[in-house]
Coordinates of all heavy atoms in Angstrom, one line a residue:
V44 N 4.7 -2.6 -5.0 CA 4.9 -2.5 -3.5 C 3.8 -3.3 -2.8 O 2.6 -3.0 -2.9 CB 4.9 -1.0 -3.0 CG1 5.1 -1.0 -1.5 CG2 6.0 -0.2 -3.7
K46 N 4.1 -4.2 0.6 CA 4.2 -4.2 2.1 C 2.8 -4.1 2.7 O 1.8 -4.0 2.0 CB 5.0 -2.9 2.5 CG 4.3 -1.6 2.1 CD 5.3 -0.4 2.3 CE 4.5 0.9 2.0 NZ 5.4 2.1 2.0
Y50 N -1.1 -4.1 1.1 CA -2.1 -3.1 1.5 C -3.4 -3.8 1.8 O -4.5 -3.4 1.4 CB -2.3 -2.1 0.4 CG -1.1 -1.2 0.1 CD1 0.2 -1.7 0.0 CD2 -1.3 0.2 0.0 CE1 1.3 -0.8 -0.2 CE2 -0.2 1.0 -0.3 CZ 1.1 0.5 -0.3 OH 2.2 1.4 -0.6
S70 N 8.4 -4.9 -4.1 CA 9.1 -4.2 -3.0 C 8.3 -4.5 -1.7 O 7.0 -4.4 -1.7 CB 9.2 -2.7 -3.2 OG 10.0 -2.4 -4.3
F72 N 8.4 -4.3 2.9 CA 9.1 -3.5 4.0 C 10.1 -4.4 4.7 O 11.2 -4.0 4.9 CB 8.0 -3.1 5.0 CG 8.7 -2.4 6.2 CD1 9.3 -1.2 6.1 CD2 8.7 -3.1 7.4 CE1 9.9 -0.7 7.3 CE2 9.3 -2.6 8.5 CZ 9.9 -1.4 8.5
M93 N 12.7 -2.9 1.5 CA 13.0 -1.4 1.7 C 13.2 -1.0 3.1 O 13.6 0.1 3.4 CB 11.7 -0.6 1.1 CG 11.4 -0.9 -0.3 SD 10.1 0.2 -0.9 CE 8.7 -0.4 0.1
F112 N 17.5 -2.2 0.7 CA 17.9 -0.9 1.0 C 19.0 -1.0 2.1 O 18.9 -1.8 3.0 CB 16.8 0.0 1.6 CG 15.8 0.6 0.6 CD1 15.6 0.0 -0.6 CD2 15.1 1.7 1.0 CE1 14.7 0.5 -1.5 CE2 14.2 2.3 0.1 CZ 14.0 1.7 -1.2
E138 N 20.2 4.0 0.3 CA 19.2 5.0 0.5 C 19.8 6.3 1.0 O 20.5 6.3 2.0 CB 18.1 4.5 1.5 CG 16.9 5.4 1.6 CD 15.9 5.0 2.6 OE1 16.2 4.1 3.5 OE2 14.8 5.7 2.7
R145 N 13.9 10.0 8.0 CA 13.5 8.7 8.5 C 14.7 7.7 8.4 O 15.4 7.6 9.4 CB 12.3 8.2 7.7 CG 11.6 6.9 8.3 CD 10.3 6.6 7.6 NE 10.5 6.1 6.3 CZ 9.4 5.7 5.5 NH1 8.2 5.8 6.0 NH2 9.6 5.2 4.3
T174 N 15.8 7.3 -2.8 CA 15.3 8.1 -1.6 C 13.8 8.0 -1.7 O 13.2 7.4 -2.6 CB 15.8 9.5 -1.7 OG1 15.7 10.1 -0.4 CG2 15.1 10.3 -2.8
H175 N 13.2 8.6 -0.6 CA 11.7 8.6 -0.5 C 11.2 9.9 -0.2 O 11.8 10.6 0.7 CB 11.3 7.5 0.5 CG 9.8 7.3 0.7 ND1 9.0 7.0 -0.4 CD2 9.0 7.3 1.7 CE1 7.8 6.8 0.0 NE2 7.7 7.0 1.3
E180 N 2.0 13.6 -2.1 CA 0.6 13.6 -2.4 C -0.1 14.9 -2.1 O -1.2 15.1 -2.4 CB -0.1 12.4 -1.7 CG -0.3 12.6 -0.2 CD 0.9 12.4 0.6 OE1 1.9 11.9 0.0 OE2 0.9 12.7 1.8
T214 N 13.2 6.9 -7.0 CA 12.7 7.8 -5.9 C 11.1 7.8 -5.8 O 10.6 8.2 -4.8 CB 13.1 9.3 -6.2 OG1 12.4 9.7 -7.4 CG2 14.6 9.4 -6.3
A215 N 10.4 7.4 -6.9 CA 9.0 7.7 -6.9 C 8.1 6.6 -6.3 O 8.2 5.4 -6.5 CB 8.6 7.9 -8.4
C216 N 7.2 7.1 -5.5 CA 6.0 6.3 -5.0 C 4.9 6.7 -6.0 O 5.1 7.5 -6.9 CB 5.7 6.7 -3.6 SG 5.4 8.5 -3.4
S217 N 3.7 6.3 -5.7 CA 2.6 6.6 -6.6 C 2.4 8.1 -6.8 O 2.3 8.5 -8.0 CB 1.2 6.1 -6.0 OG 1.3 4.7 -5.9
A218 N 2.4 8.9 -5.7 CA 2.1 10.3 -5.9 C 3.1 11.0 -6.7 O 2.8 11.8 -7.5 CB 1.9 10.9 -4.5
V231 N 9.9 2.9 -10.7 CA 8.9 3.5 -9.8 C 8.5 2.4 -8.8 O 8.4 1.2 -9.1 CB 7.7 4.1 -10.5 CG1 8.1 5.3 -11.3 CG2 7.0 3.0 -11.4
R232 N 8.3 2.8 -7.5 CA 7.8 1.9 -6.5 C 6.4 2.2 -6.2 O 6.1 3.2 -5.5 CB 8.7 2.0 -5.2 CG 10.2 2.0 -5.5 CD 10.9 2.1 -4.1 NE 10.6 3.4 -3.5 CZ 11.4 4.5 -3.4 NH1 12.6 4.4 -4.0 NH2 11.0 5.5 -2.7
V233 N 5.5 1.4 -6.8 CA 4.1 1.8 -6.8 C 3.3 0.9 -5.9 O 3.2 -0.3 -6.1 CB 3.4 1.8 -8.2 CG1 2.0 2.1 -8.2 CG2 4.2 2.7 -9.1
G234 N 2.7 1.5 -4.8 CA 1.8 0.8 -3.9 C 0.4 1.1 -4.2 O -0.3 0.5 -5.1
I235 N -0.2 2.1 -3.6 CA -1.6 2.4 -3.5 C -2.3 2.4 -4.8 O -3.4 1.9 -4.9 CB -1.8 3.7 -2.7 CG1 -3.3 3.8 -2.2 CG2 -1.4 4.9 -3.5 CD1 -3.6 3.1 -1.0
M236 N -1.7 2.9 -5.9 CA -2.4 3.0 -7.1 C -2.7 1.7 -7.8 O -3.7 1.5 -8.5 CB -1.7 4.0 -8.1 CG -1.9 5.4 -7.7 SD -1.2 6.6 -8.8 CE -2.2 6.4 -10.3
Y238 N -3.6 -0.8 -6.4 CA -4.8 -1.3 -5.8 C -6.1 -0.5 -6.1 O -7.1 -0.8 -5.6 CB -4.6 -1.4 -4.2 CG -3.4 -2.1 -3.8 CD1 -2.2 -1.4 -3.4 CD2 -3.3 -3.5 -3.9 CE1 -1.1 -2.1 -3.1 CE2 -2.2 -4.2 -3.6 CZ -1.0 -3.5 -3.1 OH 0.1 -4.2 -2.8
P242 N -3.4 8.3 -4.1 CA -2.7 8.6 -2.9 C -3.5 9.8 -2.1 O -3.5 9.8 -0.9 CB -1.4 9.1 -3.3 CG -1.2 8.7 -4.7 CD -2.5 8.5 -5.3
Y377 N -5.0 4.1 3.2 CA -3.9 3.2 3.5 C -4.1 2.4 4.8 O -3.9 1.2 4.9 CB -2.6 4.0 3.7 CG -2.0 4.7 2.5 CD1 -2.6 5.9 2.0 CD2 -0.9 4.2 1.8 CE1 -2.0 6.5 0.9 CE2 -0.4 4.8 0.7 CZ -0.9 6.0 0.2 OH -0.4 6.6 -0.8
Ligands
PLP6 C1 5.2 2.7 0.8 C2 6.3 3.1 0.0 C3 6.2 3.3 -1.4 C4 4.8 3.2 -2.1 O1 4.0 4.2 -1.7 P1 2.6 4.4 -2.4 O2 2.1 5.8 -2.0 O3 1.7 3.4 -1.9 O4 2.7 4.3 -3.9 C5 7.3 3.6 -2.1 N1 8.5 3.7 -1.5 C6 8.7 3.5 -0.2 C7 10.1 3.6 0.4 C8 7.6 3.2 0.6 O5 7.8 3.0 1.9

Side-chain angles (χ1 to χ4, degrees):
V44 178
K46 66 188 182 188
Y50 291 47
S70 293
F72 174 72
M93 303 187 292
F112 280 27
E138 188 186 8
R145 189 170 70 178
T174 196
H175 187 51
E180 73 285 351
T214 64
C216 56
S217 296
V231 292
R232 309 181 302 256
V233 179
I235 196 83
M236 283 183 68
Y238 306 104
Y377 292 78

